[in-house]
Amino acid sequence: MSTQETLDLLQKRIETELICPLKDAATNIVFGKGNPRADIVFIGEAPGQQEDLQGIPFVGRAGQELDKLLQGIGLSLDEVYICNILKYRPPKNRDPNMDEIKNHTPYLLEQIQIIKPKIIATLGNYSTKFVLGGFKPEGMKTIKGITTLHGTTQTVTLDGQPILVVPLFHPAAMLYNPRLRESLERDFLVMANILGLEIEQKQGQGTLGSFM
Ligand code: URA
């Protein structure tokens, strides 16, 4: 069975077996997008309105920002996989609660175990705390916040394999606080260096132009 087929089966299982009030209120499951064989997985928080309507993560305003940041370091959707902590939208985009995180993250863990990334970029507090907390909701409270951890790297182990974790501010945060844009762009450069990407940046062009 291919990686995509294994992921499709996992999605079907969530659609049939997950019991969660978010599911009843949602239009669509928002499972994941990108290359299931990617070395790098981005994990966000939860679907918003556009994501719920289209059934695809990061297609709204935060998604447009994420696309620009990825393009800025020469990454396309073919080279990454993108998913969320929650697979269904919380009403009015409120923060995920602990019950929801406990219900949804066993599936996220399986998703990661299927894809087997070498790098996980966590977007915002929830995914950062979940991944660095040992992929366990109970571990989350021991982990510092994204304001402290962004742009630093740590290694976690999953199924005996090391995964490099790069915590990043959530792209939605810079829509509310434009001063975070600079940090996010710098942190993407940290990631680009890790990936060993050659960034061809002509002065004044692209998202990262001001740093090159
Ligand atoms: N914010 C997220 O965390 N995930 C999405 O899919 C969209 C916005």
Side-chain angles (χ1 to χ4, degrees):
M1 203 186 299
S2 73
T3 308
Q4 185 59 61
E5 286 165 341
T6 313
L7 287 174
D8 290 345
L9 281 183
L10 175 62
Q11 177 173 339
K12 284 271 166 321
R13 269 184 37 227
I14 303 175
E15 287 169 325
T16 50
E17 73 185 25
L18 172 67
I19 298 167
C20 174
L22 295 183
K23 191 177 185 177
D24 305 327
T27 316
N28 284 300
I29 184 172
V30 180
F31 182 72
K33 71 175 180 185
N35 184 345
R37 301 177 60 85
D39 281 342
I40 177 158
V41 169
F42 287 79
I43 308 177
E45 186 176 309
Q49 185 182 35
Q50 281 307 314
E51 289 77 19
D52 174 59
L53 290 173
Q54 298 184 42
I56 305 171
F58 284 96
V59 287
R61 281 187 70 202
Q64 287 162 15
E65 295 296 342
L66 180 58
D67 289 347
K68 281 191 242 166
L69 289 159
L70 289 172
Q71 277 164 23
I73 59 165
L75 279 177
S76 73
L77 196 54
D78 280 351
E79 294 161 293
V80 303
Y81 188 88
I82 303 176
C83 58
N84 283 308
I85 288 277
L86 298 188
K87 304 305 184 199
Y88 291 95
R89 181 190 183 206
K92 298 186 181 150
N93 299 347
R94 66 156 168 72
D95 288 344
N97 67 38
M98 237 334 141
D99 283 345
E100 290 159 356
I101 293 171
K102 282 185 182 153
N103 282 335
H104 290 228
T105 49
Y107 298 105
L108 170 63
L109 180 56
E110 277 194 57
Q111 203 169 10
I112 298 165
Q113 286 172 314
I114 293 167
I115 299 169
K116 302 185 178 60
K118 295 191 172 74
I119 300 173
I120 294 180
T122 53
L123 300 169
N125 267 316
Y126 287 88
S127 54
T128 300
K129 292 185 178 204
F130 175 71
V131 171
L132 293 180
F135 299 98
K136 293 188 192 80
E138 315 82 65
M140 291 174 71
K141 34 183 188 309
T142 64
I143 306 300
K144 293 198 173 92
I146 192 66
T147 310
T148 307
L149 293 177
H150 77 92
T152 63
T153 60
Q154 290 183 46
T155 303
V156 296
T157 304
L158 185 61
D159 298 334
Q161 295 299 317
I163 302 178
L164 190 73
V165 183
V166 188
L168 302 167
F169 281 117
H170 194 290
M174 75 183 185
L175 293 172
Y176 303 112
N177 181 356
R179 275 182 296 176
L180 293 184
R181 180 177 294 274
E182 194 172 324
S183 297
L184 205 45
E185 289 182 343
R186 279 189 198 284
D187 294 346
F188 263 73
L189 285 182
V190 169
M191 212 170 52
N193 281 333
I194 291 166
L195 291 168
L197 290 178
E198 298 255 321
I199 305 168
E200 277 186 15
Q201 192 73 43
K202 295 195 185 81
Q203 216 179 5
Q205 274 186 0
T207 313
L208 301 169
S210 51
F211 301 111
M212 308 302 290

